[in-house]
Amino acid sequence: MSDDARTLRRPVTAAQLGIWVAQQLQPDSPLYNCGGYYEIDGPVDVDVLAEAVRRGVEETEALRSHFAEDTGPDHEPDGEPRLRQLVTPAGDRPLRVIDLRDTPDPEAAAHRWMAGEMARPFDLGRGPLSAQTLLRLADERSFYVHRYHHAVLDGFGQSVYTDRVAALYTALLAGQEPPASPFATLDRVVADEASYPDSRRRRQDRAYWLDRFTEVPDPITLADRTAGSTHSSLRRVRTLDPDLVSRLAALAEQSGVPWPALAIAATAALYQRMTGRTDFTFALPLAGRTGRTGLTTPSAMVNVLPIRVTPDPDRTFAELTADVARSLADVIRHQRFRGEDLVRELGLSGGRQARLGPTVNVMAFAGEPVFGDSPATVHPLSTGPVNDLKVNFYGSATSRGGIRLEFDADPALYREDELTAHQDRLVRVLEQVVADPSVLVDRVDVFVAGERERVLVGWNGESRVVREVSLPVLFGEQVVRTPDAVAVVAGGRSLTYRELDAWSNRVARWLIGRGVGAESFVGVVLPRSVELVVALLGVVKAGGAYVPVDAGSPAERVAQVLGDARPVLVIDDPSMLDVSGFSDAVVSDVDRRVGLSLSHPVYVVFTSGSTGRPKGVVVEHRSVGAYLVRAREVYGDAAGLSLLHSSVAFDLSVTGLYAPLVSGGCVVLAELDERAGEFGRPSFMKVTPSHLGLLEVLPAGVSASGMLVTGGEALVGEALDSWRSVHPGVVVVNAYGPTEATVNCTDFRIEPGEVVGSGAVPIGRPFWNTRAYVLDGALRPVPPGVAGELYVAGVVLARGYWGRADLTAERFVADPFGPAGVRMYRTGDVARWNADGQLVYVGRVDDQVK
């Protein structure tokens, strides 16, 4: 009889159909390759094993099948072809043997070979869809490798099949005839499943799932990237310490919960601590089998359903475990309802992600077969596609190999070091909860070795001895260096450094005569002009602080700011600066009412808070001087031509105005439009990310040629890449800092040619003598990848809010990580450290989902 005549046509299970459809979308992908190897410790009779495998394949229809669309008379009622699996006879010798005993490093060679095999896709339309190989590493050490497509076998089916092969081998080795095969045919397996779709049980299961998910939590992730779904995965395998395993087993027994519930609860605690989320789901692979036929026959019936966890941070881990155990029992009770159907019922396949969350797979069923007298330890190679992250607990407390914790991750979402850190965190969680099950979830520590020190010290601004100096001194020194260079241009007029210095000295003397001095304010309400710069410098030289107000602001806003500031006087007309009768000599402390101190304010910028009421931020000479000393060093292009287009009422202007004026640069005050480049192309410019779109449509000569500093808003890679494609040679600095931290306090430098990914561009690390903390609600530091509120400390801090002692005390609080008596500022922004030690802006505290 020909092989064609002996080919059997079998129906497919729901799981097989789903996997087959998914594979058709990526026909050349090895995404659905599964398998593992059994490390056999002892001698192996190759011929006997080959016969055992031959018999095992002969008994297992799933391993002899491939797929075809049946267009015969028994096609589906709607005329669509019906998918069939075609079962062909077994070959004479389905076991391949490769001898690696003479290679220099047999184990390394074995792993290279297995990696290559797992990367080779199967053709579902042609068999076989399974391959078994014996790799001989030594006379008494071998790897029995089984690779298969997920459409013919799942992890449970693999375990059932391997146990049978081990039993066949053991009997044949002893010269005995093995017992009869317990395996049923595939049509029997499908027949058992076929009674479910129209059953009362399915209706009950459906009602349970729809009631459980009247609202579906958003997918949770530990990744800080958004692009994913590659054809490969990263894998990290770790064997848990035997003592930890025994304590976990004891805890499960004492708690009266199954080991899988304890594993899921620990993973949930990790995710809660890493994300702050208190309601999310894990994708849970289930055997999908309830009858004896399905439980004893190798096949593909796996089902993936969500388990919903609600790890309240104020409850104990023991309480969380009890909740998870109840949810797990419910999921198992209703596990026959197909996950694919649930996704459709919940509408997840539309505009939202269809994923049910990261996978947590507790494979406690995986046995440890014995081949004759030689025990074997199973090592999974792949369990199928990885959506985001798959956490596998393999084995049980009684397993010879203990429990292995395996992480499989999408390499587009996670790096190897990140994967290792997350796995270390989970082990740390397990160690803590076995030591004290009554620990509150909120108290579980997820820092790994060295991380706390890194986020508090290592990634913070270096401590550097920096000259303490005021703005008038810095500007005066530059006047001496470049007296005849053009300092400022506006409205067709220009001033050299000598001229700007002389005029502002006269204004300072006039102001001193009007009562301006330390701790007094001067309102400046002038249009963009050389007089504006003269006025600002004149105020600070007099020892006072200026209150900048945009001349184009609504009258109500102007009145409100000036009413709160209560300035000594207001300069609101350029003609007020006609002070030719005053000396233009350098202004010193002898001339001032009070000697200039670094603790005196330079300016008061009024900014709107979440309530919309303006609040004045008082910024002192100490922090402005420190900022400008750094700016002069790191913003080298400010020594060229700088375009100042923003209102001086925003502290964005401090960078664009003073960084050039203490570096020998020329500041052009102009609108950001097509005429902005008339004086020449700027080498330096500071903009908000919103300006990038405008710069793209303006002539190239308007954009900075040397350095572009962005700040004031969140910057995403897509917007930046579009501008950089036209200006590839420009250095971009993404800066961050609230007004309360003196313009900027962190920045991220992007060199020409450096690739910036999609999504949020980092805001970098703190400046020297500056510290940034990402803290939780209890003011505890959080690990990299965890979002928390951003606090800033160090020389950059402003004094506080003018006339708002209550608000100052609320936002400028004691720094628990710095020297006694120092403060830190609560920014109200949410950020996280990435794995490279760069801060990433996430959003505002008020905008976060509670």
Side-chain angles (χ1 to χ4, degrees):
M1 182 180 297
S2 68
D3 285 350
D4 287 344
R6 290 188 294 164
T7 296
L8 303 172
R9 309 177 76 82
R10 302 297 195 204
V12 297
T13 65
Q16 288 179 302
L17 179 60
I19 295 168
W20 182 87
V21 170
Q23 182 70 82
Q24 303 314 299
L25 301 176
Q26 303 178 70
D28 297 324
S29 170
L31 202 60
Y32 288 91
N33 284 5
C34 296
Y37 69 95
Y38 294 81
E39 183 178 358
I40 302 176
D41 184 16
V44 174
D45 188 314
V46 175
D47 292 333
V48 174
L49 181 60
E51 176 61 15
V53 169
R54 188 196 67 78
R55 293 193 184 201
V57 172
E58 186 64 46
E59 295 174 359
T60 308
E61 288 190 351
L63 298 184
R64 296 187 280 117
S65 66
H66 60 278
F67 296 86
E69 293 181 88
D70 193 339
T71 57
D74 57 349
H75 59 266
E76 297 289 353
D78 60 5
E80 290 294 322
R82 175 180 295 172
L83 185 65
R84 294 289 191 181
Q85 48 189 327
L86 307 182
V87 181
T88 58
D92 293 335
R93 194 176 178 88
L95 179 69
R96 181 183 181 187
V97 180
I98 298 177
D99 197 335
L100 301 174
R101 288 177 291 181
D102 293 333
T103 59
D105 188 342
E107 183 157 353
H111 283 285
R112 285 194 300 272
W113 182 88
M114 289 186 290
E117 286 295 293
M118 295 303 297
R120 289 198 303 115
F122 287 105
D123 182 350
L124 288 180
R126 300 177 59 187
L129 301 182
S130 167
Q132 298 174 69
T133 306
L134 183 69
L135 303 179
R136 302 201 67 190
L137 280 67
D139 290 344
E140 296 196 354
R141 186 164 183 252
S142 302
F143 289 174
Y144 166 40
V145 186
H146 190 183
R147 179 176 75 100
Y148 54 88
H149 195 281
H150 206 9
V152 296
L153 213 59
D154 54 25
F156 186 91
Q158 177 193 352
S159 181
V160 171
Y161 169 76
T162 307
D163 286 345
R164 175 60 177 169
V165 170
L168 289 168
Y169 175 87
T170 301
L172 293 171
L173 189 66
Q176 300 172 358
E177 183 59 27
S181 172
F183 299 162
T185 59
L186 289 176
D187 56 350
R188 286 267 309 279
V189 173
V190 177
D192 279 3
E193 185 183 70
S195 62
Y196 176 73
D198 297 322
S199 67
R200 179 171 174 267
R201 180 59 184 270
R202 185 185 185 279
R203 291 191 292 273
Q204 292 174 334
D205 292 343
R206 177 179 180 274
Y208 164 79
W209 287 110
L210 295 184
D211 179 67
R212 183 73 171 134
F213 288 97
T214 53
E215 292 184 1
V216 183
D218 289 329
I220 195 168
T221 183
L222 298 180
D224 59 8
R225 301 167 187 83
T226 55
S229 299
T230 63
H231 292 181
S232 60
S233 66
L234 289 177
R235 164 160 282 214
R236 174 76 178 173
V237 179
R238 175 171 178 172
T239 300
L240 298 184
D241 182 86
D243 179 62
L244 175 58
V245 170
S246 64
R247 288 187 294 150
L248 286 168
L251 176 59
E253 183 176 356
Q254 293 165 8
S255 305
V257 299
W259 151 242
L262 186 60
I264 295 169
T267 310
L270 169 66
Y271 270 81
Q272 195 286 322
R273 295 293 292 122
M274 293 293 289
T275 67
R277 294 272 300 276
T278 57
D279 184 9
F280 49 88
T281 62
F282 292 137
L284 189 65
L286 298 150
R289 299 157 165 89
T290 55
R292 186 175 184 278
T293 298
L295 290 169
T296 59
T297 303
S299 59
M301 300 185 70
V302 66
N303 193 13
V304 179
L305 288 165
I307 180 169
R308 191 166 188 170
V309 289
T310 52
D312 185 336
D314 294 326
R315 301 185 71 197
T316 67
F317 178 76
E319 292 171 321
L320 170 61
T321 304
D323 288 345
V324 170
R326 287 188 289 269
S327 295
L328 180 60
D330 287 341
V331 170
I332 292 173
R333 189 176 303 115
H334 300 284
Q335 67 171 299
R336 293 191 68 184
F337 192 82
R338 297 299 306 176
E340 306 94 311
D341 294 341
L342 180 59
V343 165
R344 285 192 294 270
E345 292 267 13
L346 297 177
L348 299 183
S349 55
R352 295 182 56 193
Q353 286 181 306
R355 295 201 305 249
L356 301 177
T359 299
V360 181
N361 194 6
V362 188
M363 293 175 278
F365 61 79
E368 294 182 308
V370 177
F371 292 81
D373 294 326
S374 301
T377 302
V378 62
H379 299 273
L381 291 170
S382 174
T383 56
V386 177
N387 288 325
D388 188 77
L389 180 64
K390 183 182 290 186
V391 179
N392 301 313
F393 293 88
Y394 208 91
S396 65
T398 59
S399 300
R400 182 170 49 253
I403 295 175
R404 285 192 306 283
L405 179 59
E406 303 174 353
F407 273 35
D408 292 314
D410 184 338
L413 298 177
Y414 298 90
R415 298 187 330 204
E416 287 192 23
D417 57 338
E418 293 171 325
L419 194 64
T420 299
H422 289 320
Q423 190 180 66
D424 290 345
R425 296 185 213 285
L426 183 50
V427 172
R428 180 155 174 73
V429 171
L430 292 168
E431 291 171 341
Q432 291 174 80
V433 299
V434 297
D436 181 14
S438 66
V439 63
L440 295 178
V441 172
D442 188 50
R443 294 292 174 178
V444 173
D445 188 350
V446 290
F447 276 103
V448 297
E451 277 188 337
R452 188 184 301 273
E453 180 72 9
R454 282 197 293 275
V455 300
L456 288 178
V457 180
W459 290 343
N460 258 308
E462 64 176 297
S463 179
R464 181 187 292 195
V465 176
V466 179
R467 176 188 178 201
E468 293 187 321
V469 63
S470 67
L471 170 58
V473 170
L474 286 171
F475 175 71
E477 291 172 346
Q478 189 59 50
V479 172
V480 173
R481 287 191 291 267
T482 57
D484 298 319
V486 176
V488 59
V489 176
R493 300 164 60 202
S494 65
L495 296 174
T496 65
Y497 274 86
R498 190 195 313 273
E499 293 168 336
L500 176 59
D501 183 51
W503 192 353
S504 59
N505 286 341
R506 293 194 295 271
V507 169
R509 294 180 185 280
W510 167 65
L511 290 171
I512 292 170
R514 297 290 300 272
V516 174
E519 304 296 337
S520 64
F521 300 159
V522 176
V524 178
V525 192
L526 293 175
R528 190 181 286 113
S529 59
V530 294
E531 286 85 357
L532 172 61
V533 180
V534 169
L536 300 181
L537 284 173
V539 171
V540 297
K541 285 183 176 184
Y546 63 83
V547 182
V549 182
D550 190 337
S553 296
E556 181 182 359
R557 165 78 180 188
V558 174
Q560 190 175 40
V561 168
L562 295 179
D564 284 350
R566 300 190 298 279
V568 173
L569 62 87
V570 176
I571 303 175
D572 56 3
D573 187 334
S575 65
M576 297 174 68
L577 302 180
D578 184 5
V579 289
S580 56
F582 289 85
S583 169
D584 60 7
V586 173
V587 179
S588 69
D589 282 348
V590 174
D591 306 300
R592 298 182 182 108
R593 291 176 172 272
V594 176
L596 186 64
S597 168
L598 293 176
S599 64
H600 291 158
V602 180
Y603 59 79
V604 181
V605 169
F606 276 77
T607 178
S608 296
S610 58
T611 63
R613 177 189 172 186
K615 54 183 184 293
V617 181
V618 182
V619 183
E620 299 174 343
H621 276 282
R622 178 177 288 105
S623 58
V624 172
Y627 176 77
L628 293 176
V629 167
R630 181 182 184 275
R632 187 168 59 186
E633 178 174 329
V634 301
Y635 298 159
D637 290 285
L641 188 66
S642 173
L643 176 64
L644 179 61
H645 58 90
S646 63
S647 166
V648 294
F650 301 106
D651 64 348
L652 178 81
S653 62
V654 171
T655 307
L657 176 60
Y658 295 129
L661 290 182
V662 300
S663 305
C666 174
V667 182
V668 177
L669 283 72
E671 291 285 349
L672 189 56
D673 57 25
E674 64 277 356
R675 296 169 296 175
E678 290 178 353
F679 194 78
R681 183 174 182 180
S683 61
F684 179 79
M685 187 188 305
K686 186 169 185 181
V687 299
T688 68
S690 296
H691 286 118
L692 290 173
L694 175 60
L695 288 176
E696 283 191 62
V697 300
L698 290 175
V702 174
S703 287
S705 62
M707 177 178 288
L708 182 77
V709 181
T710 65
E713 300 167 2
L715 175 65
V716 296
E718 293 86 344
L720 181 59
D721 282 345
S722 182
W723 180 84
R724 289 180 80 208
S725 66
V726 184
H727 306 277
V730 178
V731 174
V732 176
V733 177
N734 188 34
Y736 164 84
T739 302
E740 293 84 349
T742 312
V743 190
N744 300 320
C745 54
T746 75
D747 61 22
F748 181 71
R749 186 181 177 104
I750 305 163
E751 300 292 344
E754 186 175 347
V755 177
V756 177
S758 61
V761 176
I763 57 175
R765 291 189 184 179
F767 298 168
W768 57 62
N769 300 331
T770 302
R771 300 179 301 282
Y773 309 122
V774 182
L775 308 178
D776 66 13
L779 297 185
R780 298 171 300 189
V782 297
V786 179
E789 187 166 0
L790 181 59
Y791 290 74
V792 179
V795 69
V796 296
L797 286 199
R799 175 187 294 179
Y801 298 110
W802 170 247
R804 300 288 302 277
D806 56 339
L807 186 59
T808 299
E810 176 187 328
R811 302 308 293 264
F812 292 82
V813 298
D815 179 0
F817 312 106
V822 301
R823 304 174 305 156
M824 62 181 183
Y825 172 66
R826 180 184 180 185
T827 68
D829 291 326
V830 177
R832 56 177 171 76
W833 293 103
N834 67 17
D836 295 324
Q838 304 289 343
L839 287 165
V840 178
Y841 177 81
V842 175
R844 291 289 296 171
V845 169
D846 294 341
D847 297 333
Q848 302 305 299
V849 178
K850 302 301 182 185

